Amino acid sequence: MNQLSDLLPIRRSATVPEQLTYEQLEVKAVNGFLTPEEKLRGVFLQKLVGKTAIEQALSNTHVELSVDIVAKVVNRGNLGGEAMVMFFNWATKQPTIAEGIDCYHVILKALRRRKFFDHMVGVLHDMKMEGTSPVSDTWEIVMDSYAWARRVSKAIQMFGQLEEFGSKCDTESLNVLLRCLCRRSHVGAANSFLNKIKGKIPFDSITYNVVISGWSKFGRIGEIETSLRAMMEDGFDPDCLTFSYLIEGLGRAGHIDDAVELFDSMKERGCEPDASIYNAMISNFISVGDIDEGIKYYKCMLRNNCEPSMDTYTRPIAACLKARRVADAIEMFDAMLCRGLIPTSGTVTSFIEPLCSYGPPHAALMIYEKARKVGCRVSLTAYKLLLMRLSRFGKCGMLLNAWDEMQKSGYPSDVEVYERT
């Protein structure tokens, strides 16, 4: 009898799988429905103690890691700064991740989004230790994060510390700082800093153009003229970009006639208008509600064989939609696509949204179908707007088609979708 009992454990281990607790079975079942990034983020919800335990748990997820999955882990969810950096450091040690500057940009952007500035600086120190040199895009991410958070003095301080991280305080990095400050409407601070360091770092035409562009957004004609004078005294002639900022600034100041006069005199000044200048003129007239005059400049640029840009189309299309000139909007949308200009998902959503606020859904469907045909990814927001509009007008067949296409695009049918339809 004793011999039989001694054999039972051996027989059980050979024929019966390992017994799992109810909690383990529950976790195993849930993991089957989780995305790779959710599994990885879930490790930090387990309240594990110690770096080794966390890294072991991350490895035990058996996720086939990629830079895209790393980005999804750090950009979504609610991880703290320390957890984000710990995960990133673990991920870069995995064989499927090629550590480099692009990978560092992923974590820097994620930390910027959450305003984890101290951790962001820590990553910069890690880059230096690993021998990875920052580039202009790196400093644009960092400096823009401070400018966005209205920590202007910190952005300027970071510029002064570039050499600590293996970079130089030169013209290129100066232009990055000025661009970040002006982009976030801190043009006054940018201009003051420029005057402060004049003579210490050489300027170029880009330096002046960045500051002029900052003043133009506010229509500050006097400051634009001062910067333009300094630019010319420093030996740099205005280029097409300078003129586009001048025209934009005049328009924002309400001096449309002066903008037209400047545009008409450009050829005499030896500057052939390019897309940026035409776009400034188009924008000026649209801003005062004169869509037709803006479209005239669009047609003028076509006659003069000037290639339009994405900005040439987006502003007039949005203006036409707002004015309920749907046929004109769709005509320009077609022209944009014919030139191979593919709008972003957000741009398509901005076109569909007003069309779903008035009239039948046919025009919105036209924009949607044309965008999909050229390979533009339609956003979940746009799908929800379409479903709601189709439901309101009782277009059941079209609604089911859009629903099916939404699911094929990988979007979930959440509660909001069901409520709207």
Side-chain angles (χ1 to χ4, degrees):
M1 192 70 175
N2 289 338
Q3 292 177 346
L4 181 61
S5 61
D6 290 339
L7 290 173
L8 284 175
I10 300 174
R11 180 182 294 178
R12 185 179 294 113
S13 62
T15 59
V16 180
E18 180 186 356
Q19 296 295 315
L20 299 176
T21 65
Y22 176 79
E23 290 78 9
Q24 289 173 322
L25 286 170
E26 189 176 39
V27 168
K28 189 173 182 180
V30 170
N31 280 341
F33 294 96
L34 296 178
T35 62
E37 58 269 23
E38 287 171 340
K39 292 178 182 178
L40 292 165
R41 275 198 303 272
V43 169
F44 294 93
L45 300 177
Q46 299 176 27
K47 298 181 180 180
L48 300 172
V49 179
K51 178 181 175 183
T52 303
I54 294 173
E55 291 187 343
Q56 183 62 47
L58 289 169
S59 299
N60 289 341
T61 60
H62 302 296
V63 169
E64 189 174 341
L65 213 58
S66 67
V67 175
D68 182 57
I69 290 176
V70 171
K72 289 178 179 178
V73 171
V74 296
N75 284 319
R76 301 175 186 175
N78 198 30
L79 293 182
E82 186 177 351
M84 291 168 68
V85 174
M86 183 182 294
F87 166 75
F88 176 78
N89 290 337
W90 169 82
T92 53
K93 296 174 185 175
Q94 307 310 306
T96 55
I97 301 296
E99 187 176 353
I101 193 66
D102 291 337
C103 199
Y104 277 108
H105 287 173
V106 168
I107 186 64
L108 286 172
K109 288 178 181 178
L111 292 169
R112 173 186 66 178
R113 189 174 294 108
R114 300 287 304 281
K115 298 185 180 180
F116 292 141
F117 300 120
D118 291 340
H119 292 289
M120 191 170 62
V121 174
V123 170
L124 291 174
H125 283 293
D126 291 342
M127 286 177 61
K128 184 179 180 181
M129 290 178 61
E130 295 294 331
T132 303
S133 300
V135 296
S136 292
D137 289 345
T138 313
W139 295 120
E140 184 133 9
I141 294 168
V142 175
M143 293 178 187
D144 185 66
S145 68
Y146 288 117
W148 170 60
R150 298 188 174 277
R151 300 178 63 176
V152 175
S153 59
K154 188 64 178 178
I156 295 174
Q157 181 184 344
M158 181 59 69
F159 172 77
Q161 297 174 335
L162 292 186
E163 293 184 359
E164 295 180 18
F165 300 98
S167 296
K168 295 180 180 179
C169 294
D170 56 11
T171 307
E172 184 181 7
S173 57
L174 171 63
N175 291 342
V176 169
L177 171 64
L178 297 176
R179 186 160 50 245
C180 292
L181 293 176
C182 291
R183 180 189 299 135
R184 302 300 179 178
S185 301
H186 303 302
V187 60
N191 190 69
S192 297
F193 184 69
L194 193 67
N195 293 332
K196 182 179 179 181
I197 62 169
K198 191 168 186 177
K200 300 177 181 178
I201 297 176
F203 300 166
D204 60 11
S205 61
I206 297 174
T207 309
Y208 288 105
N209 274 336
V210 169
V211 176
I212 290 173
S213 73
W215 290 125
S216 73
K217 291 177 182 178
F218 295 96
R220 302 283 288 273
I221 304 302
E223 286 80 358
I224 291 175
E225 291 176 346
T226 300
S227 297
L228 181 60
R229 194 179 306 115
M231 178 181 185
M232 298 178 72
E233 288 174 355
D234 209 3
F236 301 104
D237 291 327
D239 54 18
C240 282
L241 202 56
T242 314
F243 281 113
S244 72
Y245 295 142
L246 292 174
I247 289 172
E248 179 187 351
L250 289 168
R252 289 184 180 274
H255 302 165
I256 300 292
D257 293 339
D258 292 337
V260 172
E261 185 178 343
L262 177 60
F263 176 85
D264 292 339
S265 67
M266 283 190 58
K267 288 185 179 180
E268 298 175 5
R269 298 170 184 265
C271 183
E272 186 72 27
D274 65 1
S276 66
I277 292 173
Y278 279 109
N279 290 347
M281 291 300 295
I282 293 169
S283 181
N284 281 348
F285 281 104
I286 287 176
S287 65
V288 296
D290 195 343
I291 298 175
D292 291 328
E293 193 65 23
I295 291 177
K296 282 183 182 179
Y297 278 93
Y298 160 69
K299 293 179 178 178
C300 178
M301 73 185 295
L302 297 182
R303 287 196 301 272
N304 291 329
N305 297 317
C306 178
E307 189 66 24
S309 66
M310 182 67 74
D311 290 338
T312 309
Y313 292 99
T314 53
R315 189 77 187 272
I317 292 172
C320 287
L321 292 173
K322 185 177 180 180
R324 302 197 177 191
R325 294 172 54 169
V326 178
D328 292 332
I330 292 177
E331 182 180 347
M332 291 208 73
F333 188 75
D334 284 338
M336 178 180 70
L337 298 183
C338 286
R339 289 187 174 274
L341 298 171
I342 309 301
T344 64
S345 179
T347 300
V348 173
T349 302
S350 71
F351 293 160
I352 289 176
E353 187 172 10
L355 288 171
C356 287
S357 65
Y358 58 79
H362 302 299
L365 279 171
M366 288 179 67
I367 295 288
Y368 158 72
E369 289 169 356
K370 290 174 185 291
R372 286 186 70 249
K373 189 174 181 180
V374 296
C376 178
R377 180 173 172 80
V378 179
S379 70
L380 178 59
T381 300
Y383 273 114
K384 288 180 178 180
L385 289 168
L386 282 170
L387 292 172
M388 182 176 64
R389 202 66 180 170
L390 290 167
S391 175
R392 181 173 179 179
F393 280 81
K395 304 293 184 180
C396 297
M398 296 178 181
L399 186 149
L400 291 173
N401 287 336
W403 182 298
D404 184 53
E405 288 160 0
M406 180 187 75
Q407 292 182 316
K408 287 180 180 178
S409 298
Y411 293 122
S413 299
D414 56 19
V415 175
E416 188 180 3
V417 172
Y418 285 106
E419 287 178 347
R420 289 191 175 204
T421 53

